[in-house]
């Protein structure tokens, strides 16, 4: 972090910004795994864009994004036990905008196969890692705190688009 | 974070609190995967409660919790190579209490099946995801730093209790 | 964190240090999964040591480490879709040095077996957890920011060396 010519208050604000963004990213899995439409709407900017790739709808605007995260199709995934697991993100704040690059795993409980027991940790049929994605989040500061302006994710499956996203973590500005 | 009417010192303290809680949550897997009874005792409040669900014992008090994390049954899991993997938690601090919602994966090395090689990353039989849990941690500030007052976890297997825990991440107070 | 006898500025600096180290650890997976030699060189100390265990080369020095992270063998892993996933690390800063203990998962897309579909989350053949490792990172403050001085990792497979690394998270100094 650059500290030259900045006041203590500015440095504290930058830290608070980074921590608030950690909490925004950390609250995504709980909202996705419960289908919390109101919460999802509350953390997106009015004109937000959620881009999950060509195989999915690309909702634009808070209401459309919240709707996609809580529809009947999504609730079938929840009843199945879907779990979104967020890795440690790389976060960069610049004034009133910020971006983060993060990995996200999607796991689902296995429903077939034998039960497996681990001493002192119960038995289960295990979980299946359905997807690992590279995510770029763009945030904007509002009067009510940070909001998600855009989120773009691509599956890490050996194709180029996910690696394009990951490269944004390697420059301070996130631009290439 | 609310910054109205707070001093710089208060804002710094709140940040330090959040970071100390990150470290507490991040040190759980190393302590669990080594069976470090003394360390476990040192991070729990005297009257702590560890609730892992009905299929497990529910130890109350620092000594009982540390004992459960280091007994012979637990050491069999450690020798097997158990790994607890902590996701990015959602942390909220309010004065002298705090809570966090986190996901935890439990992985164990596969002992059957073929070896699989990845270029430049060696060969292995792979790991099995045994469990993914939703965790609620309640913390209390003491003279010696933050301590765990209560931890409740439930398996994310499609049943309702884990989702109940996750919903706590979606309100500032963690109450519903 | 100790706050006795420290100024607000010192406390802020310690926080900035911890957050900068989070970003260093969080940027490792993007650099590894894209083979970004220049970036890798930029975050290591000139005399850095990367110790992955006896089955791998042990590069010493910035250039050798960057080379190992971007050679043809590594690019075969990238084309296969390798994903490094970083868990929440335990970070301790002391003056101009710091260390962190972290878990790292390495996942690769499955290329055999049936496609599996999750409602609202597409279809895939799933991912295989190839490796889970315990990592100790040692950092040093330089005029240009924090750099990696040493990174040691061992596979969590039930053998003792990984648990040795994890134990470093359980003492404030990381020494035993």
């Amino acid at each position: 972090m650059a500290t030259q010519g900045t006041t203590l208050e500015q440095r504290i604000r930058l830290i608070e910004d980074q921590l608030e963004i950690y909490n925004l990213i950390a609250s995504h899995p709980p909202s996705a795994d419960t289908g919390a439409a109101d919460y999802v709407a509350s953390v997106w900017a009015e004109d937000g864009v959620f881009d999950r790739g060509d195989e999915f709808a690309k909702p634009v605007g808070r209401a459309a994004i919240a709707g996609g995260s809580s529809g009947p199709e999504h609730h079938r995934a929840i009843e199945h036990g879907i779990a979104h697991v967020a890795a440690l993100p790389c976060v960069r704040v610049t004034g009133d905008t910020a971006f983060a690059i993060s990995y996200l795993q999607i796991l689902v409980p296995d429903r077939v196969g034998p039960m497996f027991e681990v001493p002192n940790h119960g038995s289960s049929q295990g979980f299946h890692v359905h997807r690992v994605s590279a995510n770029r989040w763009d945030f904007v500061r509002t009067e009510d705190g940070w909001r998600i302006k855009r989120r773009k994710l691509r599956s890490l499956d050996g194709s180029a688009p996910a690696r394009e996203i990951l490269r944004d973590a390697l420059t301070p500005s996130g631009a290439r």
Side-chain angles (χ1 to χ4, degrees), chain A:
Chain A
M1 289 173 181
T3 59
Q4 213 98 33
T6 53
T7 64
L8 293 190
E9 201 283 334
Q10 288 169 322
R11 290 168 68 183
I12 292 171
R13 177 134 64 124
L14 191 57
I15 292 164
E16 291 169 340
D17 291 341
Q18 187 163 339
L19 292 182
E20 188 176 334
I21 287 168
Y22 282 156
N23 268 342
L24 269 179
I25 294 174
S27 71
H28 161 253
S31 69
D33 295 337
T34 60
D38 289 351
Y39 182 81
V40 171
S42 75
V43 294
W44 277 84
E46 187 60 47
D47 58 350
V49 178
F50 185 19
D51 173 4
R52 302 165 74 199
D54 291 340
E55 57 178 314
F56 298 101
K58 187 175 172 176
V60 176
R62 181 182 283 167
I65 294 167
S69 305
S70 59
E73 185 77 350
H74 188 80
H75 271 278
R76 275 196 288 281
I78 292 173
E79 279 151 30
H80 194 82
I82 194 171
H84 290 72
V85 177
L88 184 75
C90 192
V91 174
R92 314 250 186 232
V93 179
T94 310
D96 294 333
T97 63
F99 79 96
I101 305 298
S102 75
Y103 288 70
L104 188 70
Q105 295 178 66
I106 294 183
L107 293 105
V108 287
D110 283 329
R111 300 294 188 191
V112 292
M115 297 293 278
F116 188 73
E117 187 170 344
V118 175
N120 201 31
H121 292 82
S123 58
S124 86
Q125 288 176 295
F127 282 73
H128 175 83
V129 182
H130 178 61
R131 198 163 264 245
V132 182
S133 61
N135 293 254
R136 176 173 170 137
W137 309 71
D138 283 280
F139 301 96
V140 60
R141 188 198 305 275
T142 74
E143 284 182 13
D144 303 314
W146 288 90
R147 294 289 180 271
I148 308 164
K149 177 96 177 159
R150 184 159 173 269
R151 181 175 159 216
K152 178 180 179 177
L153 69 86
R154 290 296 182 271
S155 185
L156 265 156
D157 56 6
S159 56
R163 294 200 298 272
E164 282 296 296
I165 289 175
L166 296 178
R167 282 191 191 98
D168 291 353
L170 309 179
T171 58
S173 66
R176 275 162 287 153

